[in-house]
Amino acid sequence: MRQSKYSQEFKDSTVQLIINNNESVVQVAEDLDLNPKTLYHWVTMYKKAHNIPTRDVNLLSSKENEHEKLKRLRAENKVLKQERDILKKAAAYAAFETL
């Protein structure tokens, strides 16, 4: 039998963090430098062991969330570039006026 590099106590406390605090599995996995699939597995096994109802976790939904996040960040980046360009022009105009 393969020895896990994480103790059961660590797994349980990580899962409880997700369940009790409504933390995102993907975010907790990122924070702890874990593979999200591993963490989803821990959550599923914990829920089964403690008779907590589970819902099917579709890993595509996390990819969709990443797609939505990327879309939002691109839009935000576009606005920031426009604001930067306006500030550059305003600074150039102010510098020209002081001459």
Side-chain angles (χ1 to χ4, degrees):
M1 189 166 156
R2 196 176 116 215
Q3 181 69 23
S4 175
K5 69 179 188 178
Y6 301 105
S7 70
Q8 191 61 45
E9 182 182 359
F10 175 79
K11 291 177 183 179
D12 289 346
S13 63
T14 303
V15 170
Q16 288 173 8
L17 174 71
I18 292 165
I19 293 172
N20 297 334
N21 297 337
N22 291 327
E23 295 285 337
S24 159
V25 172
V26 174
Q27 185 61 51
V28 171
E30 186 177 300
D31 291 345
L32 297 176
D33 198 28
L34 295 169
N35 184 332
K37 289 181 183 180
T38 300
L39 202 43
Y40 278 118
H41 177 73
W42 292 357
V43 170
T44 302
M45 298 310 291
Y46 181 90
K47 286 182 173 183
K48 284 182 182 178
H50 294 87
N51 295 321
I52 300 171
T54 61
R55 60 182 170 91
D56 290 335
V57 176
N58 186 350
L59 291 177
L60 290 179
S61 65
S62 67
K63 289 187 187 278
E64 290 173 18
N65 290 339
E66 291 296 318
H67 177 70
E68 290 299 317
K69 182 178 178 181
L70 181 59
K71 195 172 165 182
R72 179 183 55 78
L73 289 172
R74 284 185 174 150
E76 185 178 324
N77 193 32
K78 183 178 178 182
V79 170
L80 291 171
K81 284 180 179 180
Q82 290 172 343
E83 290 173 352
R84 179 205 59 204
D85 291 342
I86 291 169
L87 289 172
K88 277 185 182 179
K89 289 176 185 176
Y93 179 77
F96 179 76
E97 288 293 315
T98 59
L99 291 178

